[in-house]
């Protein structure tokens, strides 16, 4: 087999109901120069056997089994064993369209500029810098998911976010994208939708419990990831922290407005003039129950305006 252009990495954990459909969607690609790395992260159902069955039928598929270490460790295993110039991540309960890889590869095949990544489902088709990509992530203008994108494999060399512990099950994609964004020089954004997320009631996203400990750990990890570059994203970082505070309010996390980072947010509120009504409510109404009520009204007003 020739060296593949793309390595598709699929972390697998107890998704026997969806795994076949996921793999089939990958094998139906119109762009065919790829390999598939299925990383069974200690599944206790038939997922591991399904992986082996497909590997026995298609030489493009390789399977790795490990004890349960979490999705980040599974992705790291896939990256370490990958051969492609570019990496594409797919979760084992999701699917991709048959032209997904062809669409992602098209900018790389027609443009002479050195492109580090291609991301799908963007607001507009554009070439942007890594700095702009990080800003978009911080201001929630772009999904932080790793899935449905292409990344140069070389970007993942010495990638610290791949060593996040298993107790960091939510937001690991976002942290990794931030770290990669700081390395990226040129990135292509595509409006094309090539990734199909499946509602899986057993997924981590749908069974998570919101806690103060996790939200503050997430905030601190973002700050650490930005490192000395944080001064270049002052307003975006401020808005990112506001979103953490909003999450805590909306999901009824118990906290005190006297916590140092929250106190700093309140103190600096006059420094930024581009805040939305929602962000101003979060800053000015320092009573979580009342703030949650007003945020609910704000959402309903927006929905009514959209209907007119």
């Amino acid at each position: 087999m020739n060296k593949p252009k793309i390595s598709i990495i699929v972390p697998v954990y107890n998704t026997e109901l969806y795994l076949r459909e996921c793999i089939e969607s990958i094998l139906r690609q119109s762009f065919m120069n790829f390999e598939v790395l299925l990383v069974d992260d200690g599944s206790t159902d038939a997922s591991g056997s399904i992986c082996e069955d497909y590997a026995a039928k298609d030489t493009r598929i390789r399977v790795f089994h490990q004890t349960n270490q979490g999705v980040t460790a599974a992705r790291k295993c896939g990256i370490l064993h990958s051969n492609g110039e570019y990496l594409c991540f797919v979760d084992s309960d999701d699917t991709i369209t048959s032209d997904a890889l062809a669409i992602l590869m098209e900018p790389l095949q027609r443009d002479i500029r050195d492109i580090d990544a291609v991301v799908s489902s963007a607001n507009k088709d554009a070439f942007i810098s890594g700095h702009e990509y990080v800003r978009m992530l911080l201001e929630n203008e772009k999904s932080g998911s790793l899935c449905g994108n292409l990344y140069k494999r070389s970007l993942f060399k010495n990638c610290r976010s791949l060593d996040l512990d298993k107790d960091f099950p939510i937001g690991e994609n976002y942290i990794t994208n931030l770290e990669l964004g700081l390395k990226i020089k040129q990135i292509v954004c595509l409006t094309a939708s090539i990734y199909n997320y499946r509602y899986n009631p057993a997924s981590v996203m749908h069974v998570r419990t919101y806690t103060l400990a996790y939200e503050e750990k997430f905030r601190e990890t973002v700050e650490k990831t930005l490192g000395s570059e944080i001064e270049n994203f002052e307003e975006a970082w401020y808005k990112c922290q506001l979103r953490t505070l909003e999450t805590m309010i909306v999901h009824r996390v118990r906290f005190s407005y006297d916590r140092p980072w929250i106190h700093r947010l309140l103190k600096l509120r006059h420094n930024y003039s581009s805040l939305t009504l929602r962000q101003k409510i979060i800053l000015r109404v320092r009573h979580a129950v009342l703030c949650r009520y007003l945020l609910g009204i704000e959402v309903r007003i927006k929905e009514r305006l959209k209907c007119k």
Side-chain angles (χ1 to χ4, degrees):
M1 178 178 176
N2 295 328
K3 186 174 181 180
K5 190 72 173 179
I6 302 173
S7 295
I8 303 174
I9 297 171
V10 185
V12 178
Y13 180 71
N14 288 355
T15 51
E16 61 180 0
L17 296 178
Y18 317 115
L19 182 56
R20 288 185 177 86
E21 189 176 353
C22 172
I23 297 173
E24 290 291 345
S25 76
I26 295 172
L27 298 180
R28 285 195 295 266
Q29 293 303 298
S30 56
F31 179 91
M32 301 183 66
N33 188 12
F34 65 87
E35 66 173 354
V36 184
L37 295 92
L38 303 174
V39 184
D40 173 26
D41 189 40
S43 296
T44 57
D45 64 2
S47 296
S49 298
I50 293 171
C51 291
E52 292 292 349
D53 288 344
Y54 273 94
K57 299 173 185 176
D58 196 314
T59 56
R60 293 174 297 177
I61 300 176
R62 289 186 286 152
V63 180
F64 303 89
H65 300 279
Q66 63 182 29
T67 57
N68 182 246
Q69 300 173 51
V71 64
T72 301
R75 288 196 183 109
K76 183 176 182 178
C77 173
I79 292 169
L80 290 174
H81 291 91
S82 64
N83 296 311
E85 182 181 355
Y86 293 91
L87 303 181
C88 180
F89 299 96
V90 179
D91 285 345
S92 61
D93 50 0
D94 298 330
T95 62
I96 55 176
T97 61
S98 60
D99 57 355
L101 298 185
I103 289 173
L104 292 172
M105 281 298 300
E106 197 271 337
L108 300 171
Q109 294 173 326
R110 66 174 163 78
D111 201 283
I112 61 174
R113 285 176 282 189
D114 189 22
I115 298 170
D116 293 311
V118 182
V119 299
S120 63
S121 299
N123 293 331
K124 62 180 180 179
D125 294 325
F127 286 88
I128 62 173
S129 66
H131 182 280
E132 176 64 9
Y133 183 59
V134 171
R135 185 201 64 77
M136 291 171 66
L137 288 169
L138 291 173
E139 296 195 21
N140 204 30
E141 295 178 9
K142 180 70 182 74
S143 166
S145 176
L146 284 170
C147 297
N149 306 324
L150 276 186
Y151 303 90
K152 273 189 177 179
R153 182 160 60 98
S154 57
L155 290 171
F156 289 86
K157 185 177 181 180
N158 301 320
C159 188
R160 293 172 300 172
S161 58
L162 291 177
D163 294 317
L164 289 172
D165 59 59
K166 186 181 175 182
D167 295 328
F168 206 100
I170 302 293
E172 77 289 339
N173 284 350
Y174 184 86
I175 299 299
T176 301
N177 262 316
L178 281 178
E179 183 175 354
L180 297 179
L182 294 174
K183 297 179 180 180
I184 286 172
K185 294 180 180 178
Q186 181 95 313
I187 186 168
V188 177
C189 295
L190 301 176
T191 55
S193 179
I194 53 92
Y195 194 89
N196 303 311
Y197 290 94
R198 182 195 299 274
Y199 175 76
N200 179 0
S203 71
V204 175
M205 280 297 296
H206 293 105
V207 299
R208 68 174 293 187
T209 300
Y210 291 86
T211 66
L212 177 61
Y214 170 77
E215 297 304 328
E216 292 196 326
K217 181 178 181 179
F218 176 78
R219 180 201 158 276
E220 290 168 2
T221 304
V222 172
E223 184 175 27
K224 183 177 180 181
T225 301
L226 293 173
S228 60
E229 293 288 325
I230 200 167
E231 61 186 30
N232 297 320
F233 302 99
E234 183 179 339
E235 184 169 350
W237 168 231
Y238 184 82
K239 292 178 179 178
C240 177
Q241 293 178 90
L242 275 183
R243 196 165 66 253
T244 297
L245 180 56
E246 177 184 355
T247 298
M248 291 162 55
I249 293 170
V250 171
H251 293 281
R252 293 177 166 81
V253 175
R254 296 177 68 112
F255 68 92
S256 168
Y257 282 93
D258 291 330
R259 298 194 74 79
W261 68 274
I262 298 178
H263 180 73
R264 285 195 297 273
L265 287 182
L266 301 177
K267 185 178 180 181
L268 295 172
R269 69 185 187 278
H270 298 299
N271 290 11
Y272 306 100
S273 58
S274 63
L275 299 179
T276 64
L277 174 60
R278 192 170 185 84
Q279 290 168 332
K280 290 176 181 178
I281 291 172
I282 293 167
L283 286 168
R284 292 172 183 268
V285 183
R286 303 183 191 182
H287 186 285
V289 176
L290 178 57
C291 186
R292 186 161 54 247
Y293 172 73
L294 293 174
L295 292 176
I297 292 177
E298 190 259 359
V299 169
R300 289 194 290 274
I301 291 174
K302 280 187 176 179
E303 290 175 347
R304 289 191 178 185
L305 290 174
K306 287 180 181 178
C307 294
K308 292 183 178 181

